[in-house]
Amino acid sequence: MKIKTAEFIVSNSEVDKCPKDQIPEYAFIGRSNVGKSSLINMITNHKNLAKISGRPGKTQLINHFLINKEWFLVDLPGYGYAKVSKTAKRKFQKFITNYFEKRIQLVSAFVLVDIRHEPQKIDLEFMEYLGVSQVPFSIIFTKADKLKPLAIERNVEAYCKKLLETWEAVPNHFVTSSSKTIGRDEVLQYIQDTNTEIEALR
């Protein structure tokens, strides 16, 4: 898939105010310091589409970006480690769950995980929530440029082994690096193939 256009449409904290367009939607979410904005900019080939901040937890709204006028990329608030008040955290955690439970346009979520670390409880619990809620998702391992190839392979295998303790099968997953543009084509191909399948069913 070639990204021809990527434009910001709207930010809000209420699912009912999200775009009404009946087109496929893909949501990106992860811990607050996982490199989500950098990944979104890399995937869309736009340096400043998603705002990057040195302060984790910057994204606190549901952000819709229209890609190629064909599908929405949705940037969701990160979970965990965000330096915001407990009241603010409860508020955006609530509209995150509202989004996943009410948004009928959502085709798939992408859960971002830092490949350098062992499986984190907060990530595993969030994936379990998506599974129980029957929300399709893929895992995107980020920051692959920080490790050597063998370490990447070892960490992905360890993560998959951990998932198989509670999952019947390992979710679809990608290895990426925003600075090295690793994994971009694979993620976009997955979205394109999924969109084609959806269109064929209409």
Side-chain angles (χ1 to χ4, degrees):
M1 178 192 296
K2 182 177 181 180
I3 302 299
K4 299 174 183 177
T5 60
E7 53 188 311
F8 170 75
I9 301 300
V10 67
S11 291
N12 66 80
S13 60
E14 297 180 37
V15 179
D16 293 340
K17 293 182 180 179
C18 289
K20 306 302 182 186
D21 311 63
Q22 296 301 309
I23 60 176
E25 198 160 286
Y26 297 84
F28 287 70
I29 190 168
R31 282 184 290 124
S32 302
N33 56 350
V34 77
K36 178 164 53 69
S37 295
S38 296
L39 180 79
I40 289 172
N41 291 337
M42 182 268 282
I43 287 175
T44 58
N45 201 28
H46 280 64
K47 291 183 179 180
N48 300 305
L49 192 69
K51 290 183 172 59
I52 298 172
S53 172
R55 178 170 61 86
K58 179 74 172 178
T59 304
Q60 295 180 27
L61 294 169
I62 303 170
N63 299 302
H64 274 76
F65 301 95
L66 182 61
I67 311 299
N68 290 349
K69 300 190 183 301
E70 295 175 349
W71 56 277
F72 279 118
L73 184 157
V74 183
D75 181 10
L76 292 174
Y79 51 82
Y81 306 128
K83 293 183 178 179
V84 296
S85 69
K86 290 182 179 180
T87 301
K89 188 174 293 187
R90 281 195 299 269
K91 181 179 179 181
F92 70 63
Q93 295 290 9
K94 179 62 177 175
F95 70 70
I96 287 173
T97 56
N98 282 342
Y99 172 84
F100 283 115
E101 293 167 11
K102 296 181 179 180
R103 189 64 175 164
I104 61 174
Q105 290 91 335
L106 176 66
V107 172
S108 179
F110 289 105
V111 180
L112 278 59
V113 172
D114 190 329
I115 199 170
R116 298 173 298 175
H117 306 312
E118 62 183 25
Q120 302 291 305
K121 181 180 179 182
I122 191 170
D123 293 324
L124 297 174
E125 288 179 346
F126 187 74
M127 292 179 206
E128 182 179 355
Y129 158 74
L130 292 178
V132 170
S133 302
Q134 297 185 317
V135 176
F137 73 93
S138 296
I139 299 171
I140 291 185
F141 292 102
T142 64
K143 305 185 181 183
D145 57 290
K146 305 295 184 181
L147 297 176
K148 293 182 178 180
L150 285 177
I152 291 172
E153 185 178 342
R154 183 172 62 248
N155 287 10
V156 171
E157 286 181 0
Y159 213 100
C160 291
K161 184 177 180 180
K162 180 65 177 178
L163 288 170
L164 288 174
E165 292 178 7
T166 52
W167 292 79
E168 291 184 3
V170 176
N172 188 38
H173 54 279
F174 304 90
V175 173
T176 69
S177 164
S178 298
S179 62
K180 301 292 185 180
T181 324
I182 296 171
R184 180 177 187 268
D185 292 343
E186 290 80 0
V187 172
L188 288 175
Q189 187 63 52
Y190 172 78
I191 293 173
Q192 180 174 303
D193 291 345
T194 304
N195 286 346
T196 299
E197 291 175 8
I198 292 170
E199 190 63 31
L201 292 173
R202 288 179 174 174

